[in-house]
Amino acid sequence: MFAYILEKLSNWFESAERTRREAYLASSSDIVDLERRLRSLEINGYAN
């Protein structure tokens, strides 16, 4: 039961992180900004 709850919480946090990351990338002003943000995510992880 505890493992099930942990798995559901983990899935929820992963989904929330994915949503934040997609919003961060979608708010790019142009293709250059998008590429800079993608590069930043690859190197540093999510940083807004």
Side-chain angles (χ1 to χ4, degrees):
M1 179 68 173
F2 187 69
Y4 174 79
I5 293 171
L6 279 178
E7 181 181 343
K8 290 298 180 183
L9 272 175
S10 175
N11 289 342
W12 183 80
F13 282 117
E14 288 174 12
S15 176
E17 176 64 22
R18 185 173 32 256
T19 300
R20 283 191 297 270
R21 193 170 292 188
E22 288 173 356
Y24 172 68
L25 294 174
S27 67
S28 301
S29 58
D30 56 21
I31 190 72
V32 175
D33 187 30
L34 175 61
E35 289 177 353
R36 181 187 57 77
R37 290 175 186 226
L38 283 168
R39 200 170 320 114
S40 175
L41 286 173
E42 290 174 353
I43 295 170
N44 303 319
Y46 181 79
N48 195 358

